[in-house]
Amino acid sequence: HRGGGGSSAFFLSRVTPSPSQSSAAMLPYFIIYPVWLLVAVVYPAAVTLHYLLEVQKGKGKNEATAAAVKQWVFYWFLFAATSTAYTFVGWALDIVFGVLSVFVGDIQGEVILLLSVALVNPWKPMLQTAFTKANDGLGPLEKAIEGYRAKAGEAIQQALKKAQ
């Protein structure tokens, strides 16, 4: 398994294989990282900016453009959330992929790249499916919040009447 404390140590550990590493290592990190940057950062940024420019020019008044903007904002929320979560639970993924590397080689970079491609694939985007499921799942939560908001409003009104 590859170690390393800082980002440069992590990068160097991926570029220079140690003797204990399996010969079944897949693509080198210096190939995976730029491709991942293109797939997970550059392409989504370009698409997001495209839809935001449509909205700014006034072409984005239809529901499809508004939904696309919401979908890509959801992508950036997922990006930030998973990046933050990886900071705290990345060790668990390192353990899982460390065990897998014994059997199939070091595939962590490839798996992350494939998940990124699947998420933003323009022909069959998993992002749209995830966004739809997240919106559908919020229905009961929104109803509960609305109920609590109505109760809080009533309580505030009653308190104001008693105070007068």
Side-chain angles (χ1 to χ4, degrees), residues 106-127:
D106 186 18
I107 60 169
Q108 183 174 5
E110 288 84 352
V111 169
I112 291 171
L113 181 61
L114 286 174
L115 286 174
S116 298
V117 168
L119 198 59
V120 300
N121 180 358
W123 296 282
K124 187 173 175 154
M126 282 179 46
L127 177 63

Side-chain angles (χ1 to χ4, degrees), residues 26-99:
M26 302 303 199
L27 294 173
Y29 188 66
F30 68 88
I31 292 174
I32 292 175
Y33 185 70
V35 173
W36 174 83
L37 274 177
L38 286 172
V39 168
V41 178
V42 174
Y43 173 72
V47 173
T48 303
L49 290 175
H50 166 74
Y51 283 117
L52 289 175
L53 286 174
E54 278 190 12
V55 169
Q56 185 181 16
K57 290 178 184 176
K59 297 178 184 176
K61 294 184 179 177
N62 60 16
E63 283 189 33
T65 305
V69 169
K70 287 179 185 178
Q71 178 178 313
W72 286 102
V73 168
F74 177 71
Y75 172 82
W76 290 111
F77 172 77
L78 281 179
F79 187 88
T82 54
S83 297
T84 304
Y86 188 78
T87 303
F88 300 106
V89 296
W91 57 269
L93 285 175
D94 289 342
I95 290 172
V96 170
F97 283 107
V99 171

Side-chain angles (χ1 to χ4, degrees), residues 1-3 12-25 106:
H1 188 260
R2 297 175 178 150
L12 290 176
S13 69
R14 290 196 167 263
V15 173
T16 55
S18 68
S20 66
Q21 286 179 327
S22 167
S23 62
D106 186 18

